[in-house]
């Protein structure tokens, strides 16, 4: 199990495909017929998931700490064919109390699953793997310590 130390204030996440009008704010882009829609907007789902993952590994959530925001650049479920390819690409930015950027990295997760797995479990795993990329990034840990 991963562990990390530091303090961060997880702030807003933006879902860029929805801002551009390509899809709805509560929709994950997919290639097969039909829409993948959620009760909550994707930016809120991702923000809450990253918050939970960081807290789970031991990072303190502190409203006075440096601010972590995210831009969700791509969230794609390629479900044509015999398996499902998942792509999640997020730009993570940490700004210090003066508004200076101290961390700015894009993390991309690509996974392949069977077509017959639980969609929500696969979605959660994909988000978890992406959050783990920043937890394992020493530049991120250095920025929040």
């Amino acid at each position: 199990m991963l562990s990390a130390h530091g303090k961060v204030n997880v702030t807003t996440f933006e879902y860029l495909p929805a801002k551009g009008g390509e899809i709805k704010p509560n929709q994950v882009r997919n290639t097969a017929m039909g829409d993948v829609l959620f009760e909550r907007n994707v930016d809120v789902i991702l923000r809450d998931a990253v918050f939970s993952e960081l807290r789970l590994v031991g990072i303190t959530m502190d409203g006075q700490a440096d601010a972590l925001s995210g831009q969700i650049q791509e969230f794609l479920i390629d479900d044509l064919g015999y398996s499902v390819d998942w792509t999640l690409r997020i730009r993570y930015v940490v700004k210090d109390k003066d508004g200076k950027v101290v961390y700015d990295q894009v993390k991309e997760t690509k996974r392949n699953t069977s077509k017959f797995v639980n969609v929500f479990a696969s979605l959660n795993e994909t988000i978890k793997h992406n959050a783990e990329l920043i937890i394992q990034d020493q530049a991120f840990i250095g920025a929040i310590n």
Side-chain angles (χ1 to χ4, degrees), residues 53-111:
E53 286 299 321
L54 294 177
R55 189 174 61 186
L56 182 68
V57 299
I59 295 173
T60 302
M61 298 298 124
D62 182 345
Q64 304 304 311
D66 293 352
L68 170 65
S69 62
Q71 288 183 329
I72 305 149
Q73 298 175 342
E74 177 74 272
F75 204 171
L76 172 67
I77 302 170
D78 183 356
D79 46 351
L80 286 176
Y82 297 105
S83 63
V84 180
D85 292 318
W86 299 78
T87 302
L88 175 58
R89 186 172 53 252
I90 302 175
R91 177 181 175 208
Y92 292 98
V93 177
V94 176
K95 292 183 181 177
D96 68 13
K97 293 170 197 64
D98 297 324
K100 179 183 172 208
V101 174
V102 294
Y103 180 83
D104 187 344
Q105 292 285 321
V106 174
K107 301 297 182 184
E108 183 173 85
T109 301
K110 289 185 176 267
R111 300 181 59 236

Side-chain angles (χ1 to χ4, degrees), residues 16-76:
L16 298 182
K19 283 186 93 172
E22 296 171 39
I23 56 175
K24 297 173 185 172
N26 66 330
Q27 180 180 9
V28 173
R29 198 163 65 89
N30 68 309
T31 56
M33 298 290 285
D35 294 332
V36 179
L37 299 171
F38 298 100
E39 291 181 14
R40 298 186 306 152
N41 288 349
V42 172
D43 58 347
V44 174
I45 293 169
L46 269 288
R47 183 223 171 265
D48 292 352
V50 168
F51 177 96
S52 295
E53 286 299 321
L54 294 177
R55 189 174 61 186
L56 182 68
V57 299
I59 295 173
T60 302
M61 298 298 124
D62 182 345
Q64 304 304 311
D66 293 352
L68 170 65
S69 62
Q71 288 183 329
I72 305 149
Q73 298 175 342
E74 177 74 272
F75 204 171
L76 172 67

